[in-house]
Amino acid sequence: MLMGTAINGATSISFSITTVLTLLLFIPINGQDQFTIIEATIDEIQTAFDQNKLTSTQLVEFYITQIETLNPRLRSVIELNPDARSQAKKADLERKRNQGRRFLGELHGIPVLLKDTIATKDKLNTSAGSYALVGSVVPRDATVVKRLRDAGAVILGKASLTEWYSFRALGKIPNGWCARAGQAKVSDHFSFDKFQGPPLTFSILTL
């Protein structure tokens, strides 16, 4: 059973949502003329949160739209977390109730993508990019995932990788390829199958 939201195919996006998210691209912060989410650091995003110029919900919606728009070409994200929006709303509510009384943490309300080998005890699959493990249930969150959740991060989804890190195919799988996502690319003109050497051990995402 597919528990996450697969996103290999093209997804239609309503005009109203696209318009709102486009406006989010440029938000004045700390006297700067323009603040672009695409180039923003975590510190800059947290500043936008503190100044009530951005919410975690808006940020998650922006990234989901970017992924749904670019992923059919780049194939860097395997699936999105169906609970990401509710996690973002929870972070917004915690921030509203806190009203700056205490520091919630640098990662509070920040969307994070995990490689598809990092176990999450939720609706996401942990499959190493292979259909063989789709629907399998992990016993618990990986330690890094527990720490991210404790820090208030939003688990946005699972990113692609070389399937099984290529160890089942003795290096014959192209770097950056897995059955669930296909061949990951940095751009329309460059894919990771051109690399020589060990298989990719990191996740690729261009938002």
Side-chain angles (χ1 to χ4, degrees), residues 55-205:
T55 66
S56 295
T57 298
Q58 291 171 328
L59 187 61
V60 165
E61 291 290 351
F62 173 78
Y63 283 138
I64 288 175
T65 298
Q66 289 288 87
I67 291 169
E68 289 176 339
T69 300
L70 298 174
N71 204 62
R73 300 198 312 272
L74 301 183
R75 299 183 177 277
S76 296
V77 181
I78 291 181
E79 61 183 282
L80 290 170
N81 187 357
D83 292 331
R85 289 182 173 92
S86 63
Q87 291 178 20
K89 290 178 182 178
K90 178 183 176 183
D92 289 334
L93 182 60
E94 290 172 345
R95 194 178 304 110
K96 183 178 180 180
R97 289 175 175 172
N98 183 58
Q99 294 184 340
R101 286 189 292 269
R102 64 182 180 86
F103 180 57
L104 295 176
E106 293 181 353
L107 293 179
H108 187 270
I110 300 296
V112 177
L113 280 171
L114 303 171
K115 196 188 301 187
D116 192 34
T117 50
I118 300 178
T120 53
K121 183 69 172 177
D122 55 15
K123 297 175 183 177
L124 289 166
N125 288 286
T126 304
S127 70
S130 170
Y131 284 112
L133 290 181
V134 171
S136 62
V137 180
V138 299
R140 68 189 69 84
D141 280 339
T143 299
V144 65
V145 176
K146 183 181 184 303
R147 291 180 177 177
L148 286 168
R149 294 194 200 278
D150 290 344
V154 175
I155 307 301
L156 186 59
K158 292 293 181 74
S160 189
L161 72 164
T162 304
E163 184 174 320
W164 295 104
Y165 293 126
S166 192
F167 79 86
R168 293 191 67 188
L170 300 178
K172 295 180 181 179
I173 293 179
N175 276 334
W177 181 93
C178 72
R180 293 191 63 203
Q183 180 65 56
K185 298 194 295 183
V186 174
S187 70
D188 289 331
H189 308 290
F190 183 83
S191 65
F192 282 92
D193 63 335
K194 306 301 182 184
F195 278 113
Q196 300 294 322
L200 292 179
T201 57
F202 53 88
S203 301
I204 302 95
L205 178 63

Side-chain angles (χ1 to χ4, degrees), residues 24 27-31 47-55 58:
L24 284 173
I27 305 171
I29 289 186
N30 289 338
T47 299
F49 287 161
D50 293 340
Q51 295 180 357
N52 295 318
K53 295 178 179 179
L54 181 67
T55 66
Q58 291 171 328

